Each structure stands twice: as structure tokens, then as C-alpha cells.
Amino acid sequence: MTRPLCLICHRGRLWQSRFVTTHVLAIDQGTTSTRAIVFNHAGVPIASGQREHRQVTPAPGWVEHDPLEIWDATRDVVAQALAAANLTRADLAAVGITNQRETTVVWDRVTGQPVHPAIVWQDTRSQAIVDRLAQGPDAELVRHATGLPLATYFAGTKLMWILENVPGVRQRAQAGEVLFGTVDSWLVWNLTGGPDGGIHVTDVTNASRTLLMDLETLDWREELLAALDVPRTMLPAIRSSSEVYGRARVPVLAGVPIAGILGDQQAAAFGQAAFDAGDTKSTYGTGNFLLVSTGERIVRSQHGLITTVAYRLGDAPARYALEGSVAVTGSLVQWLRDQLGLVDSAPEIEALAGTVADNGGVFVVPAFSGLFAPYWRPDARGVIVGLTHFVGKGHIARAVLEATAFQTVDVLEAAQADVGMRLSELRVDGGMTANGLLMQVQADLLGVDVVRPSVAQTTALGAAYAAGLAVGYWESLEQVRENWREGARWSPAMPPGEATALTGQWHRAVERSLGWVE
Ligand SMILES: Nc1ncnc2c1ncn2[C@@H]1O[C@H](COP(=O)(O)OP(=O)(O)OP(=O)(O)O)[C@@H](O)[C@H]1O
Ligand SMILES: [Mg+2]
């Protein structure tokens, strides 16, 4: 990264970046909504905009988004955030992007129109393709090179599904007429001009979720493209997570450098300042995602975790992480709200669960799209076990919250087994961490303190840091680390024997969810 020197002090961009452009904007394009947040130099959010988008479920197991709706929401929330902050694009040092990962978009490079709705990470329609790959000659190569299990979760088999099922797309891809991207690529292409010269890039963290990138070379690998039969012409260039990719050309952000891209979970880890080997965070959102940094080492899990790129700053070596991806946590609370109607809003679950002293013997295993880490069982489906006449809705609510905590115990145990360490405390973030009862249960079951930073919007913050570091708005990771502040802490209060017994019952419940789909 070359940085122009400050015209006054000739020592870096301090003057220019800190006193002319005073803020950094992060766009957080999530599974359920798009947010834009303006941060100041202390890493404190000063204003935001947010808009939800439709979850389209045309068949069991299918989940789609409209890429144009997401692009529209993006411009809208950026304008909202800037207006609320009373700032304009001229005040922004940089824009960072973070996104729901794996969600797959294919679009026409001339018209800018998607050729198919985005296939969302939760979508399981590519299971037959996954089975075919798993039985094929390249299965082991794909697993080893990418650090990923063969599962519908990742972008590659969703892209294969589009290439195989949408008429004409394969030919158009070979002719260079259509482009593939995860949502970061889709947004950057549109932000930088779309059909009129938009740049087609992704970052290493998003690329590491496609089944197409080699973890060691950090580039698309021919054997992987051949195994999945994906034309190289449609793929974006893989760049670092922190560098100036280009300048925005949409009116609301015209001229502002787009300087950071991180997948949402990697962004949350970055926003938690989890930079060094052993640093760990768990994000509680639609799903739950535990990341344990392994520094410059690529650690291949023996216990059902994923190996993923954590971040790469400019030309510096990439940093890696082990990840425990849990598909359904906050979305189980939404299910309780929207499908069962037991609560009117997600936060109400805390009061309902608080009406009972314990789960009354009930366990909910939310294997709605099979089980992800550490089980990787597509044949599992959701179960509620332990029902008796005694059980009421308070117990169900409590079991729903506990499902999140137990799944986190499972992935944390796997991570500890993989890296041979015991965690002394767990850093947490995300929407569900507003639930104090859940956080207490989590500390009880883990037997370690659970700590939430003062800025719980770590996903957006991480993207802001990646972008701000690229343009010299922040100077070092050290400065970022110093911005981290403890906001709340929960300590274990349950006897360890009781926690072990409950976790044992949870595992018996998990067994009952397995093998349901034939
Ligand atoms: N007080 C609460 N108790 C339990 N669950 C909650 C509470 N508040 C929010 N949630 C759940 O947290 C999730 C929202 O959290 P968050 O906004 O961090 O999600 P997210 O994964 O970032 O969303 P997206 O995928 O759109 O980015 C929802 O699934 C919601 O059900
Ligand atoms: Mg999110």
C-alpha cells in the first residue's frame, strides 16, 4: 500500500485524514437487513440507517433474496446514516463493506440485471450437487485446498446450481457476459459504476467461502474450478481485506474510496480486535459464529470446524481462523415469534423465559437446514424433546434460548480440542447479546466469563477499521485494540456438575434430530 504523504508534515496522512475527512462509513449487508453506520476516530458509532429486505422461500429449504432490492436498500441506508450524522460524503475518509457470506449472485455485466435471485447461505437446494461432488474423485482435494467440508452452505455449489439450472447462463458465462459474486462483489461493482466500468473484486475472507479458493495461494485454483465446472471468466479478482479497491461513483458517495471488505463474521472478529492467535469471539445473530484466530497458521480441524481466512491487510501475510458456524440461533427466536406467535418481538423472549426457573426438561434442536458445525449433518431436522403435561410456553422459550448456548458450547469445545487451549473468557457480540438471560446461561454452561464490548455493532465496526486502516485514518492494529472497551460481563453461577449434566442431555437431544431426512 502506498500512501500519499501529508502536505504539511510530510509524515503520513494524519492531517489530511483526521482533520479533513473526519469519519468512516461501514455498510453491513446482512441476511435480514442492510445497515450503514458512521464511526468516529474512537470507533464509536454516531449515526446509522437500516432497512430490512424480503426473505423469499419458494420451496422447503430454499431461501432467496432480490439483489436489486439489496442494492436499493444499500443506497437508501447510506443516505439515512449520513443525514442522521449531519455529514456528507466529503466528510468520509473511506467506506468499508461487510456482508452476509456465501450468498450467491450472478448478473449480466452489460445490463446489471441478476440472472436469478440471490441464493442465500441457508439455502439447501444444492444438496444433490454436494452429494455428487462428495462421491466424485476430487472430494478430498476440494476439502483440503479450501479448508471446507462439502456442504450446501458454501457459494460454490449454489453457483453450480445456477449454471446447471438457469437456461443459457453457462454459455453466457463462458462468453464473459455474466459475473459471479458474493454480496460484497455485487455491492462494490454497483458502487463503482455497475455496467459503466464497475470493478469486479472480492476479498480473501469472502473468497475463502466459495469452495474455489486455495487457502495457501489465496487465489482461484484451476483444479477446483474444474471440479465444480465453473468458468474462470465469471469470477472476481481476489484482493486483500484492506486496500483501496476503487472510488464510489454513486451520487451519495461519489469519490469516496472503498477501502475495506470483510465477510460479516470476520468483520466481527476484527471489530473485537481479535487479531492474534488464540483470540476468540462469538457473534449471536441470525446464526452463531465462533472464530478462533490461528495467526499465520492454517489449522485443519479434526473436530468439525472450518478453516477460514480471518483477514489480510494489504500485502501483509493473511491471518487465518478456525470457525464454528451454527446455522440457526436468532432465527429460532424469529421462528418462535413469526411461526408460533409465542412472542410479539424477539426481546420479549427474555421475559417469557424468565417466568420459569429452568427448561422443565425440554430441549429444542433447531436443525432447520440440517446441522452445521461441528456435526455437518444434512439429514438432521429440528426436534423438540422432553415434552410432558408439565411443560408450558415459558419452558419452550427457555429451551429456545438454551439451544443457542448449547450450540455455542459445542463449537467452543471443538475449537479447544483443535488448538489445545482453554479459553479464559469469551468475547461476544451481535443482536442476541442484548438478552441478559441468554448471556448468563452461556456463562453458566461454559464455566467462563462472557464479555460484551461497549460497541456491540462489531460487524460494522470491523469493516470500518479495515477501510480506515487502508487510508491511514487509523494507523495501526494497536490503535484499534486500544479503542476496545468492555461493556458488560457475566460470570458463571451454576455448579459445574449441573452444567455438564445439562450438556449431556443436550447431546442426547441432538442424537434424536439426526437421520430424519432419508
Ligand atoms: N433480546 C433478544 N433476545 C433474543 N434474540 C434476539 C434479541 N434481540 C434480537 N434477537 C435476535 O437476534 C437476531 C438479530 O441480531 P443481529 O442483528 O445481530 O443479526 P444478524 O445476524 O447480524 O442479522 P443479519 O444476518 O441481517 O446481519 C435476530 O435473529 C433476533 O431474533
Ligand atoms: Mg449481521
Side-chain angles (χ1 to χ4, degrees), residues 113-172:
Q113 294 293 312
V115 304
H116 188 270
I119 302 184
V120 179
W121 60 273
Q122 299 140 319
D123 189 296
T124 58
R125 79 183 67 184
S126 61
Q127 187 61 50
I129 294 175
V130 168
D131 295 342
R132 204 170 75 209
L133 273 178
Q135 281 147 23
D138 300 313
E140 199 39 49
L141 167 79
V142 176
R143 285 193 199 97
H144 187 83
T146 66
L148 305 173
L150 290 172
T152 58
Y153 178 27
F154 307 104
T157 61
K158 300 178 196 295
L159 174 55
M160 286 172 78
W161 190 93
I162 291 176
L163 286 167
E164 292 178 13
N165 290 281
V166 185
V169 170
R170 179 175 296 285
Q171 292 78 346
R172 290 165 69 197

Side-chain angles (χ1 to χ4, degrees), residues 28-33 35 98-100 264-265 283 285-286 430-431 457 459-460:
D28 174 3
Q29 203 304 297
T31 309
T32 57
S33 77
R35 300 178 176 101
T98 178
N99 55 292
Q100 54 169 325
D264 57 4
Q265 300 308 321
T283 300
T286 303
Q457 294 282 11
T459 302

Side-chain angles (χ1 to χ4, degrees), residues 105-436:
V105 190
V106 177
W107 68 95
D108 185 309
R109 80 153 82 224
V110 174
T111 65
Q113 294 293 312
V115 304
H116 188 270
I119 302 184
V120 179
W121 60 273
Q122 299 140 319
D123 189 296
T124 58
R125 79 183 67 184
S126 61
Q127 187 61 50
I129 294 175
V130 168
D131 295 342
R132 204 170 75 209
L133 273 178
Q135 281 147 23
D138 300 313
E140 199 39 49
L141 167 79
V142 176
R143 285 193 199 97
H144 187 83
T146 66
L148 305 173
L150 290 172
T152 58
Y153 178 27
F154 307 104
T157 61
K158 300 178 196 295
L159 174 55
M160 286 172 78
W161 190 93
I162 291 176
L163 286 167
E164 292 178 13
N165 290 281
V166 185
V169 170
R170 179 175 296 285
Q171 292 78 346
R172 290 165 69 197
Q174 278 154 350
E177 292 168 16
V178 298
L179 304 175
F180 155 81
T182 39
V183 175
D184 54 313
S185 302
W186 168 246
L187 292 184
V188 172
W189 188 79
N190 279 294
L191 284 165
T192 56
D196 183 17
I199 57 169
H200 189 212
V201 296
T202 188
D203 91 304
V204 284
T205 67
N206 278 292
S208 77
R209 320 291 297 192
T210 58
L211 288 169
L212 299 169
M213 188 190 82
D214 187 307
L215 275 180
E216 285 169 25
T217 64
L218 303 174
D219 199 359
W220 309 122
R221 180 164 161 182
E222 283 308 331
E223 291 104 313
L224 299 173
L225 304 190
L228 276 71
D229 200 9
V230 169
R232 198 182 182 110
T233 46
M234 73 188 310
L235 300 180
I238 303 177
R239 307 274 287 268
S240 81
S241 317
S242 176
E243 62 177 280
V244 177
Y245 312 103
R247 285 178 187 271
R249 289 173 58 196
V250 283
V252 69
L253 287 174
V256 182
I258 300 171
I261 304 176
L262 284 164
D264 57 4
Q265 300 308 321
Q266 285 88 342
F270 206 78
Q272 286 269 23
F275 303 131
D276 298 329
D279 289 351
T280 302
K281 72 86 197 180
S282 179
T283 300
Y284 295 68
T286 303
N288 258 44
F289 299 85
L290 179 88
L291 261 75
V292 180
S293 171
T294 59
E296 289 181 37
R297 273 179 67 216
I298 295 175
V299 176
R300 290 173 203 282
S301 178
Q302 305 299 314
H303 298 90
L305 303 184
I306 287 170
T307 309
T308 201
V309 180
Y311 64 89
R312 183 180 191 196
L313 303 181
D315 298 332
R319 307 299 159 121
Y320 297 87
L322 282 169
E323 174 178 313
S325 333
V326 176
V328 179
T329 57
S331 59
L332 180 64
V333 176
Q334 287 172 331
W335 177 80
L336 200 77
R337 181 193 66 190
D338 301 337
Q339 310 290 92
L340 297 192
L342 283 189
V343 288
D344 289 328
S345 72
E348 277 174 42
I349 193 175
E350 186 165 4
L352 184 56
T355 59
V356 292
D358 56 35
N359 65 18
V362 176
F363 292 80
V364 180
V365 183
F368 291 179
S369 41
L371 285 171
F372 283 16
Y375 302 100
W376 299 107
R377 289 291 295 261
D379 59 332
R381 281 300 176 269
V383 294
I384 302 179
V385 294
L387 295 176
T388 62
H389 279 300
F390 171 71
V391 169
K393 56 187 176 182
H395 299 109
I396 304 276
R398 195 165 177 113
V400 159
L401 289 181
E402 289 182 358
T404 294
F406 284 126
Q407 292 185 98
T408 304
V409 170
D410 282 345
V411 289
L412 190 64
E413 295 276 305
Q416 295 189 141
D418 271 335
V419 299
M421 56 125 193
R422 295 310 291 177
L423 203 68
S424 54
E425 59 183 40
L426 180 65
R427 286 190 175 185
V428 300
D429 54 74
M432 283 188 102
T433 64
N435 192 309

Side-chain angles (χ1 to χ4, degrees), residues 447-461:
V448 298
D449 282 10
V450 168
V451 184
R452 189 180 67 202
S454 56
V455 178
Q457 294 282 11
T458 50
T459 302
L461 179 59

